Amino acid sequence: MADFEYDIGIIGGGAAGLTVASGAAQLGAKTLLIEKEPALGGDCLHYGCVPSKTLIHSARVYHLMKHAERFGLPKVGISAVDFRQIAKRIQRVIAIIQHHDSEERFCGLGAKVLFGNAVFTDEHTIDLEGNRLSAKSWVVATGSSPVAPPIPGLHDTTFLTNREIFSLDHLPKSMVILGGGPIGIEMAQAFNRLGTKVTVVDRADQILGKEDKDMADMVASVMQDEGVTFFLEASIEEVLETNGQKSVKILDSSGERRVLNPEEILVAMGRAPNVNHMGLEDIGVAYDRSGIGVDKRMRTNHKHIYAAGDVNGGFQFTHAAGYEGGIVVSNAIFRLPRKADYTYLPWCTYTDPELASIGMNEKTARSKGLDYAVWTEEFRDNDRSLAEDETTGRIKMILDAKERPLGVQILGPRAGDLLSEWVAILNGKVKLSTLAAAVHPYPTMGEINKRVVGSFFSPKIFSEKVQKGLKFFFQLKGRACSLRED
Ligand SMILES: Cc1cc2nc3c(=O)[nH]c(=O)nc-3n(C[C@H](O)[C@H](O)[C@H](O)COP(=O)(O)OP(=O)(O)OC[C@H]3O[C@@H](n4cnc5c(N)ncnc54)[C@H](O)[C@@H]3O)c2cc1C
C-alpha cells in the first residue's frame, strides 16, 4: 500500500478547513493544513461575518444615538462618523478572534500549518511552493470569492467588494449597491445608518430572494423609512468611470432610464467557488460554475478527495461550512458513512430587525407542491418588544397537512438568537405541545415562540365543542359577561 506523508491534507484555512483540521488532529490523524493568505480564519473572520457584524453593531449604536428621544432621552448632539475608527474597531475584534484561529493553536492541537498556494500534481500529492507533500485523503476547503458579472463597463471601473469595504479610509458620501442579497442588504442598512446615501439595485421584485416576499418586504420597508433607496426589477445597463466620477446606468421597473452617480459602488451579486489554479482539472476533480460536485458525504468524484464549505456550491454560511467539515471528519477519519442533512439548516440575515429562518418557508413549501398552513404572531403584541420599541416583525410557523412543523421564520429583534429554540425543537423532534406548555420567562422576546404555538392550539382548546362538553359534564354555567353588540 502506498505510504503517504500525512493522513489528511486540507487546502484552505477557513471555517470548513479549520473544523476538519481541528477534528482530525485531535483524533490522532497526522494532519496538514495549507492556507494561501498570511493568516488563518478565511473569509468569515477577515472579510465576512466578523467585520460585517462588528460594523452593523457600530451602525446600530449610532442609529440609536440619533434617535435617543424615541426612548424618552435627551436629544444627543452627535458628530459625523470617522470610518477609520470603525475600521480600527473591526480590526481589534478580528485580532481577538484570530488567537483562536492561530497557527500556534492548531500546532498545539497537532496539525501542521503551512502557508502558500497548493497545486495538485496527482490525486494524493500537492506542490506547495516547490515542495511535494502527500496525504491519504485531501479536503478542498478554499471558499468562494465575490463575482463581478459582465456588466458593460464594470470591469473598467473601480468598485468595492466585501474585501475592501471594511477597511475604507473614510465614510463614502454615497454608495450604489449592486445586488439585494444578504451581503448587499446588511451593508446597505449599516452604511445608510452611518450617514452614507445608499441606493440598492436588483433585478428581482424583492430583496433577499430566498425569503418569503412578505418578510423581505418588511425589511425593505424599514430600510426605506431609514432612507435607503431601492430600485427593484431594475436592470443595470452600464457602469462608467470618467475622471474619477462613477455612474451607474439603470432601467428602472417603470422603464425609465436613470443615471446614478455614487462616490462608491459595492458589488454584491453572488459568489464564485475558488477552484482555479489548483490543478483540479489535471487530476480530474469535477466542478462547474457553482462549485465542486460532492455527494452527501462531501466526497468528490475521487472518493478520497473531499470538498467542504462554500467551494462545493451548497449553503454559503460559516455554520454550514463547519457542519460539512464535521461530515468530512466522520467519513475520512472515523470511516463512518455520515451524510449531510440540510433539512433544518438555519440562517439569519443581520439587518435590524433580523430575518432568521429554519426549515421550509412558504416559497419552498409551494415549490414542492406541499399543502401547508401558516401561523403568525406579531412582535407588536410582545410586551418586551413594546418596552424596547422593537415592534416591527413577525414569526411565521409553517405546518404541513398533518400539522407537523415544516419551518419557522422570524423577522424581529435578535431573530437569529430567538431561532435557537426552534433549532432544538425541530432537530429534537419535540412536540409543539411541549413548547406550548413550557414556561418562558416574562417579559422576553422569546415568548413569541410559545405564543405562535399557542395560537395554533387555542382554537382547538377553546372551541365551542369543548365548551359544550365541559358544560355538559361539569354543569358549568357559561359566560358571565358579554360585550354588548351595537
Ligand atoms: C460580507 C459577508 C458576510 C457574511 N456573513 C455571514 C454570517 O453572518 N453568517 C454566516 O454564517 N456566514 C456569513 N458569510 C459567509 C461565510 O463567510 C462563508 O460561508 C464562510 O466563510 C465559508 O467558509 P469556507 O471555509 O468555505 O471558506 P473561507 O472561510 O473563505 O475559507 C477558505 C480559505 O481558503 C483559502 N484558500 C483559497 N484558495 C486557496 C489555495 N489555492 N490554497 C490555499 N488556501 C486557499 C482562503 O484564503 C481562505 O482562507 C458572510 C460572507 C460575506 C462575504
Side-chain angles (χ1 to χ4, degrees):
M1 212 167 87
D3 189 23
F4 303 110
E5 210 173 330
Y6 291 91
D7 294 313
I8 190 162
I10 302 139
I11 307 176
L18 292 177
T19 306
V20 180
S22 133
Q26 291 185 83
L27 288 167
K30 191 175 176 195
T31 303
L32 169 67
L33 174 63
I34 300 168
E35 169 55 52
K36 79 169 165 75
E37 298 274 339
L40 297 176
D43 245 29
C44 180
L45 177 57
H46 299 282
Y47 310 106
C49 332
V50 173
S52 61
K53 270 76 250 180
T54 310
L55 172 73
I56 284 168
H57 188 66
S58 293
R60 176 173 158 77
V61 173
Y62 193 62
H63 177 75
L64 289 175
M65 284 162 67
K66 281 193 278 187
H67 295 92
E69 288 159 297
R70 246 174 56 194
F71 305 96
L73 296 169
K75 194 175 167 66
V76 184
I78 46 171
S79 325
V81 164
D82 175 357
F83 197 83
R84 283 171 307 180
Q85 298 307 320
I86 294 182
K88 272 189 197 159
R89 178 171 173 259
I90 290 173
Q91 288 311 317
R92 281 200 301 274
V93 175
I94 292 175
I96 297 166
I97 301 175
Q98 184 74 73
H99 288 298
H100 190 258
D101 292 351
S102 66
E103 187 185 345
E104 295 71 35
R105 180 170 166 264
F106 278 82
C107 181
L109 295 175
K112 173 88 179 161
V113 181
L114 294 175
F115 292 91
N117 262 306
V119 180
F120 280 101
T121 54
D122 68 44
E123 286 178 28
H124 286 280
T125 314
I126 56 116
D127 177 286
L128 183 71
E129 320 285 331
N131 292 319
R132 297 277 159 126
L133 299 154
S134 66
K136 189 169 178 186
S137 304
W138 280 98
V139 187
V140 181
T142 46
S144 63
S145 299
V147 169
I151 297 167
L154 181 60
H155 290 268
D156 301 318
T157 306
T158 2
F159 59 83
L160 304 171
T161 68
N162 66 300
R163 288 190 73 97
E164 300 83 23
I165 192 101
F166 304 112
S167 49
L168 299 175
D169 60 7
H170 70 282
L171 185 76
K173 287 199 167 46
S174 56
M175 188 186 290
V176 165
I177 299 185
L178 305 181
I183 295 173
I185 291 303
E186 286 183 2
M187 290 303 98
Q189 187 177 45
F191 273 90
N192 180 68
R193 284 180 164 192
L194 292 173
T196 301
K197 176 79 199 105
V198 175
T199 305
V200 177
V201 184
D202 198 296
R203 65 179 172 196
D205 68 344
Q206 69 165 81
I207 59 166
L208 305 173
K210 264 169 61 167
E211 311 290 348
D212 281 345
K213 193 168 180 320
D214 59 332
M215 302 295 250
D217 284 354
M218 260 199 270
V219 176
S221 142
V222 168
M223 289 172 59
Q224 229 158 358
D225 290 347
E226 290 180 9
V228 177
T229 306
F230 290 96
F231 286 108
L232 300 180
E233 294 180 272
S235 51
I236 307 156
E237 299 199 312
E238 194 178 15
V239 177
L240 282 175
E241 186 166 12
T242 323
N243 301 328
Q245 172 64 65
K246 299 181 180 78
S247 47
V248 181
K249 296 186 178 172
I250 64 164
L251 188 66
D252 75 14
S253 58
S254 60
E256 191 180 328
R257 287 210 153 73
R258 290 170 185 270
V259 181
L260 313 170
N261 292 116
E263 182 182 336
E264 294 290 357
I265 298 169
L266 171 67
V267 177
M269 301 182 84
R271 315 270 307 169
N274 293 331
V275 287
N276 296 327
H277 316 299
M278 295 175 59
L280 291 175
E281 312 77 16
D282 302 334
I283 59 162
V285 171
Y287 66 83
D288 61 21
R289 273 176 34 187
S290 62
I292 300 178
V294 288
D295 63 10
K296 288 183 174 167
R297 293 163 66 181
M298 300 299 129
R299 300 178 304 179
T300 67
N301 54 322
H302 290 311
K303 302 295 178 219
H304 69 286
I305 302 182
Y306 298 80
D310 282 13
V311 76
N312 69 25
F315 289 94
Q316 296 190 327
F317 302 111
T318 294
H319 46 282
Y323 173 61
E324 292 173 359
I327 299 281
V328 172
V329 172
S330 299
N331 281 277
I333 310 297
F334 278 116
R335 301 302 167 110
L336 290 174
R338 194 175 149 218
K339 294 179 180 168
D341 176 357
Y342 300 102
T343 312
Y344 296 128
L345 185 96
W347 67 76
C348 183
T349 302
Y350 298 88
T351 43
D352 182 9
E354 295 177 358
L355 177 49
S357 179
I358 185 167
M360 288 188 211
N361 58 18
E362 284 196 76
K363 229 179 222 181
T364 331
R366 263 198 308 271
S367 72
K368 290 184 185 294
L370 294 176
D371 204 3
Y372 67 88
V374 183
W375 298 86
T376 62
E377 198 62 33
E378 305 291 324
F379 273 91
R380 61 170 177 263
D381 298 325
N382 176 285
D383 293 0
R384 183 64 177 274
S385 299
L386 286 161
E388 298 197 2
D389 197 13
E390 299 267 16
T391 51
T392 304
R394 154 185 316 156
I395 183 169
K396 272 170 87 172
M397 178 178 72
I398 322 257
L399 303 184
D400 70 9
K402 292 187 176 160
E403 299 186 334
R404 290 172 308 202
L406 289 173
V408 173
Q409 289 79 52
I410 307 178
L411 172 70
R414 295 270 171 192
D417 293 307
L418 296 181
L419 198 74
S420 294
E421 189 168 22
W422 292 100
V423 172
I425 286 166
L426 297 177
N427 283 288
K429 307 213 175 337
V430 176
K431 284 189 180 150
L432 290 182
S433 54
T434 306
L435 174 57
V439 180
H440 285 56
Y442 174 85
T444 54
M445 312 261 184
E447 285 179 290
I448 200 160
N449 291 335
K450 180 180 161 84
R451 279 193 67 149
V452 75
V453 176
S455 69
F456 161 69
F457 283 116
S458 283
K460 296 182 194 295
I461 297 169
F462 303 118
S463 69
E464 223 172 284
K465 206 167 146 193
V466 172
Q467 278 185 17
K468 274 187 186 157
L470 291 175
K471 200 169 187 177
F472 176 78
F473 284 112
F474 306 118
Q475 287 84 49
L476 298 183
K477 294 195 172 73
R479 299 187 75 96
C481 185
S482 290
L483 287 175
R484 229 185 25 193
E485 281 177 28
D486 289 328

